[in-house]
Amino acid sequence: MSIKTYAVAIRDVIDQEMAKDSRVFVMGEDIAEQGGIFGCTRGLLDKYGKERIKNTPISEAGIVGLGVGAACAGMRPIVELMYMDFTFCAMDQIINQAAKTRYIFGGHGTVPLVIRGQQGVGRGNAATHSQSLEAIFMHFPGLKVAMPSTPAEAAGLLRTAIRDNNPVMFFEHKALYATKGEVPDDPEFAIPFGKADIKREGKDVTIVGTHLYVGKALQAAEILAKEGISCEVIDPRTIVPFDTETVVNSVKKTGRLVTVHEATKTLGFGTEVVAQVVEEAFPYLDAAPVRLGAKQCPLPFNLTLENAVVPQVEDIVAAVKKTLYL
């Protein structure tokens, strides 16, 4: 095991996979000499050259379109978008090309494309650079969606994504890049998609959180434990495919469910979790599930206002108590 930051864990896996497979290359804005705005490709230009670490023009439609074409031609491109907010500039390429090409050709063609970048709050980047957009891409068949919350998950899920023959939307979080954790040294370490991780076992309520909110859910669980309330915290790790079984089994044990994410509450990932639990485990619920998400407004530039829009640890604590009628 090595202690690494989330950003370094990502960089090291890209490095290892590029060394292993000459078809893997990276392209994006400012990823070469600068190494990306969060350092996730730092040092790779010197090692692999401009043929495999490619700076691109400021055109997300062009970048993703080139990635789709390269993937269809047998390469394994990693497309870095500076902000995942900019996926909106490339939606035709993502939704109508990357997601559908393998289906259109009856499975005979593959699209081994990773579209990765950061999203979320924490830096006061305001309304068009701080959104959490994962739920949009859940809706379209053909895309896989990963959301690592720790350095180890960033490493293990990214390796799986690079080796997958289908397009993967790989959502990182800007506030997690500097966080540190243990990462296995094994160059084959990979985390399978569709397998959630129970970060903390409990018996009174199930909390399902993503990205930054896995850590916040664990903080809330610590607070609640001091009051005798036992929370089970689940990190889905990938939301497509989603590990329904682990969540349903947890709810069958606890009888209660809270979902929490940074994206807007309306039609967010938590809504789908609640729907699946209600369909498969309704008789086991002892209280109505509670969803937490951002308020229905654009994200402010001011950090104090930003914090007022997205859920905080105290909101998770209150939500858990609501399911317990406290």
Side-chain angles (χ1 to χ4, degrees):
M1 289 282 190
S2 297
I3 302 296
K4 297 181 181 181
T5 66
Y6 189 96
V8 168
I10 290 167
R11 185 199 64 196
D12 287 353
V13 167
I14 294 173
D15 184 5
Q16 291 162 359
E17 291 301 296
M18 289 184 70
K20 183 181 180 68
D21 189 341
S22 62
R23 297 172 299 170
V24 179
F25 72 98
V26 189
M27 58 182 174
E29 299 164 11
D30 295 331
I31 66 156
E33 289 82 2
Q34 186 173 336
I37 59 172
F38 291 98
C40 293
T41 54
R42 191 168 293 153
L44 298 184
L45 175 64
D46 293 338
K47 192 168 184 178
Y48 297 103
K50 292 184 178 180
E51 289 299 307
R52 297 181 69 193
I53 302 294
K54 294 179 176 288
N55 272 345
T56 65
I58 302 173
S59 173
E60 285 74 22
I63 302 167
V64 176
L66 285 168
V68 174
C72 290
M75 301 298 284
R76 306 189 79 86
I78 303 169
V79 170
E80 177 177 314
L81 299 181
M82 194 173 285
Y83 291 83
M84 290 302 261
D85 307 72
F86 301 159
T87 52
F88 292 141
C89 299
M91 290 301 274
D92 182 61
Q93 286 78 4
I94 297 171
I95 303 306
N96 284 330
Q97 310 305 325
K100 296 180 174 61
T101 293
R102 190 168 188 180
Y103 291 80
I104 289 171
F105 288 94
H108 294 292
T110 60
V111 189
L113 169 67
V114 178
I115 300 173
R116 52 161 293 269
Q118 53 81 27
Q119 65 175 19
V121 302
R123 287 166 54 96
N125 290 152
T128 62
H129 293 70
S130 302
Q131 300 166 98
S132 293
L133 305 175
E134 65 275 1
I136 293 171
F137 298 96
M138 288 177 65
H139 182 71
F140 297 99
L143 298 173
K144 297 184 179 182
V145 183
M147 299 184 70
S149 67
T150 67
E153 288 177 1
L157 292 172
L158 183 57
R159 181 169 283 110
T160 300
I162 293 170
R163 296 181 181 184
D164 201 298
N165 284 327
N166 301 285
V168 178
M169 303 298 297
F170 198 86
F171 287 91
E172 298 154 19
H173 197 291
K174 59 170 64 72
L176 291 174
Y177 281 125
T179 60
K180 294 181 179 181
E182 288 189 340
V183 179
D185 295 320
D186 181 2
E188 294 298 310
F189 167 67
I191 295 173
F193 285 3
K195 183 60 179 173
D197 186 31
I198 299 175
K199 299 292 190 189
R200 180 186 180 115
E201 294 190 355
K203 61 182 179 61
D204 294 326
V205 61
T206 299
I207 307 174
V208 179
T210 55
H211 256 178
L212 201 60
Y213 283 84
V214 176
K216 291 185 184 296
L218 289 169
Q219 291 177 49
E222 280 291 328
I223 293 169
L224 289 159
K226 295 175 182 176
E227 301 181 33
I229 299 169
S230 173
C231 299
E232 184 144 294
V233 178
I234 298 177
D235 177 1
R237 303 199 287 200
T238 60
I239 61 174
V240 180
F242 174 58
D243 185 358
T244 304
E245 182 180 5
T246 293
V247 175
V248 166
N249 287 341
S250 176
V251 171
K252 286 180 177 180
K253 176 177 64 174
T254 66
R256 295 170 176 84
L257 172 65
V258 172
T259 66
V260 57
H261 51 65
E262 193 176 287
T264 306
K265 176 181 174 181
T266 303
L267 295 181
F269 165 67
T271 301
E272 179 63 22
V273 176
V274 169
Q276 292 193 27
V277 167
V278 168
E279 285 178 353
E280 298 196 25
F282 181 76
Y284 294 89
L285 287 167
D286 296 322
V290 178
R291 295 174 297 137
L292 294 176
K295 295 178 173 63
Q296 194 73 10
C297 71
L299 286 157
F301 169 76
N302 179 279
L303 286 172
T304 300
L305 294 177
E306 183 183 77
N307 287 334
V309 170
V310 298
Q312 301 299 319
V313 172
E314 56 266 29
D315 298 315
I316 303 173
V317 170
V320 167
K321 290 183 176 181
K322 182 177 180 180
T323 68
L324 294 163
Y325 306 107
L326 297 177

